Amino acid sequence: MTHVPSKNFINGAWRDSSTGESFPVTNPANDEVLAHVPSLSSDDVAHVITVADRALSSWRAVPARKRSDILLAISQALLTRIDDFAKLITAEQGKPLAESRGEVLYSANYFRWYSEEAVRVTGDIIPADSPNKRIFVLKEPIGVVGAITPWNFPIAMLARKLGAALAAGCTFIAKPAPETPLSALALAELCHNSGVPAGVFNVITGDAEMIGEHLMRSPVVRKVTFTGSTEVGKILIRQSAETVKKLTLELGGNAPFIVCDDADLEQAVEGAIYGKYRNAGQTCVCVNRFLVHQKIAPAFTARLIARSKELVVGDGSASNTQVGPLISDEAAAKVTRLINTAHNEGATVTLPPTSNPRGIRFISPTVITGVKPSMTIWKEEIFGPVSTITTFATDEEAITLANSTPHGLAAYVYSSNLSRAMKVSEHLEYGMIGINDTAISSVQAPFGGIKESGFGREGGRYGIDDFLVLKYLSVVMP
């Protein structure tokens, strides 16, 4: 991308912080400084909220068909610039270019999907108790929306929220992760050029705690949508009480991957490779725990190790790279700690990570066997390319092991017996389950979890509901 915006996008224009403060955005593969972006002041954030509030009345009045046309234009514009955006994502996030291209396509499909949903927001007429009375139910935009998005999918997580919000008639303030703000700023420019009016979509950067608190405390911001850790999600829940703010929270996961003894071994391993090592294991729905039937555990483990060894670790911009770097030294240190702790607690590091001359962030696919529920690595979300294997003897045991976590985002079941897989799935306490499938994210499906993995849904026809409120009219006819 020849031109990469690095200022904040507020009210249709590029803005610096009123204090002049900024911070660097670096490439995790080589620490190259890509840009410096503003670090907004408290007054700046308050101004942005006012801007979004002022733009709300005119945007919500725009006919649904017009909003639909704008969203479709955004989708088409993204597709024409797929390579530019992919290179930018890889530069600031680190994932392989092929995965970045997939993310841009995925994002474009969200805007297309919600261009179609914009014209399908309809209410109801309910039969009343008397002949001269009418009951109407309207669906209206909730208002100003604040979005706090993560670094692992810097455009896709924003597109999933933004597409639904714009379709509903809401105005939007996005606060991207400090590691990956450039993709969001580039998307803001593209949206503006595609017809989104000034003030409707704003992107701001700076101190996460300060900005988040402003969004949560403001009575003007009626909804906040957040993708990130469970710990931060709980803080937002507490803060939301002050203004009774609506939340959508997509929080941490601890996904089990159950391999029954009748599973197609090759299919299960290929699903495992995608489900574990995509984005170097840095996704909320990545497999965190492999639960493998004891009869086939040796064969599954051997094949998983063989396939793991084949994956190429390197700079995401290289055409042959399949596993890129972790986002930071801190992230790499956490993964390394989990590997070492698992070994110290009695597990076997069957396929240890290999040293990489590029640095500690380049962790090769690792396989650990003999993992038990008492171990630290069982309980924590790894967020790295580490496969842990635990065996089970019965389906009931597998279900108990899978559910032994406070999280409930995604789970996976592999079996050649569909009836068996369905029965197991019905007992799993998760919001999303893939049966013989780890590519479960889809624009037409509701994405989200239960328990401490959050609440609310994004994507599909359900995704727009979180940006709408119901208004009931009781009318007596003269």
Side-chain angles (χ1 to χ4, degrees), residues 117-156:
E117 287 299 304
V119 295
R120 296 189 176 94
V121 177
T122 57
D124 294 296
I125 301 176
I126 300 173
D129 295 332
S130 60
N132 67 330
K133 194 171 186 179
R134 299 292 183 271
I135 296 175
F136 301 92
V137 177
L138 310 179
K139 292 183 179 180
E140 297 183 343
I142 193 169
V144 178
V145 173
I148 304 171
T149 57
W151 49 261
N152 55 348
F153 291 93
I155 289 185

Side-chain angles (χ1 to χ4, degrees), residues 1-7 14 25 34-37 81 84 87-88 91-92 181-186 189:
M1 184 173 284
T2 55
H3 164 65
V4 179
S6 57
K7 296 184 179 183
W14 299 108
V25 181
L34 303 172
H36 286 80
V37 298
R81 298 183 60 192
D84 287 341
K87 290 175 183 176
L88 180 56
E92 65 174 347
L182 302 180
S183 297
L185 293 168
E189 181 179 53

Side-chain angles (χ1 to χ4, degrees), residues 146-453:
I148 304 171
T149 57
W151 49 261
N152 55 348
F153 291 93
I155 289 185
M157 296 301 95
L158 179 54
R160 189 158 67 193
K161 302 172 190 296
L162 177 64
L166 296 183
C170 299
T171 54
F172 202 88
I173 303 169
K175 193 277 171 196
E179 295 87 351
T180 57
L182 302 180
S183 297
L185 293 168
L187 181 62
E189 181 179 53
L190 182 143
C191 288
H192 180 70
N193 293 338
S194 299
V196 176
V200 172
F201 176 31
N202 309 277
V203 179
I204 59 177
T205 56
D207 181 73
E209 185 175 349
M210 181 272 291
I211 293 175
E213 186 167 349
H214 261 280
L215 294 175
M216 295 306 300
R217 303 293 186 197
S218 171
V220 171
V221 179
R222 294 310 313 151
K223 174 184 172 63
V224 166
T225 171
F226 170 74
T227 299
S229 71
T230 297
E231 291 71 26
V232 173
K234 290 178 178 180
I235 293 173
L236 298 181
I237 292 172
R238 288 191 289 270
Q239 292 177 340
S240 72
E242 186 174 321
T243 55
V244 194
K245 202 180 307 296
K246 189 173 185 179
L247 297 177
T248 296
L249 301 177
E250 194 259 284
L251 308 177
N254 191 352
F257 184 107
I258 299 173
V259 187
C260 298
D261 55 352
D262 61 355
D264 181 316
L265 191 62
E266 192 64 25
Q267 182 187 40
V269 170
E270 290 308 306
I273 293 295
Y274 179 83
K276 176 69 257 186
Y277 299 128
R278 181 170 61 111
N279 201 14
Q282 300 173 115
T283 86
C284 53
V285 295
C286 267
V287 180
N288 216 55
R289 299 169 294 153
F290 286 98
L291 309 179
V292 187
H293 195 283
Q294 59 189 19
K295 289 183 181 178
I296 62 168
F300 176 86
T301 302
R303 182 58 183 149
L304 179 63
I305 289 174
R307 285 289 287 115
S308 298
K309 288 180 177 179
E310 294 173 1
L311 300 179
V312 178
V313 180
D315 188 323
S317 62
S319 60
N320 65 332
T321 293
Q322 296 166 292
V323 179
L326 298 190
I327 191 66
S328 66
D329 287 350
E330 293 76 15
K334 174 197 171 184
V335 173
T336 301
R337 171 182 62 81
L338 287 173
I339 294 171
N340 293 336
T341 301
H343 172 71
N344 293 336
E345 292 176 346
T348 301
V349 185
T350 310
L351 177 62
T354 58
S355 61
N356 192 302
R358 294 180 178 272
I360 64 171
R361 296 174 200 160
F362 293 84
I363 297 179
S364 64
T366 302
V367 178
I368 302 177
T369 56
V371 174
K372 294 179 171 56
S374 60
M375 296 179 178
T376 304
I377 202 166
W378 172 278
K379 302 169 185 176
E380 291 193 27
E381 188 173 21
I382 300 169
F383 240 62
V386 180
S387 297
T388 67
I389 297 178
T390 302
T391 61
F392 67 89
T394 66
D395 290 357
E396 290 74 21
E397 183 185 5
I399 292 167
T400 299
L401 288 170
N403 290 338
S404 63
T405 172
H407 297 95
L409 188 59
Y412 308 96
V413 180
Y414 274 73
S415 171
S416 296
N417 185 326
L418 183 58
S419 176
R420 180 185 187 182
M422 290 292 291
K423 289 177 181 177
V424 170
S425 298
E426 288 171 359
H427 288 89
L428 293 178
E429 298 167 353
Y430 292 84
M432 300 175 289
I433 298 172
I435 296 177
N436 298 325
D437 179 28
T438 49
I440 61 172
S441 298
S442 175
V443 299
Q444 59 265 43
F447 192 101
I450 60 175
K451 301 193 295 185
E452 291 192 16
S453 289

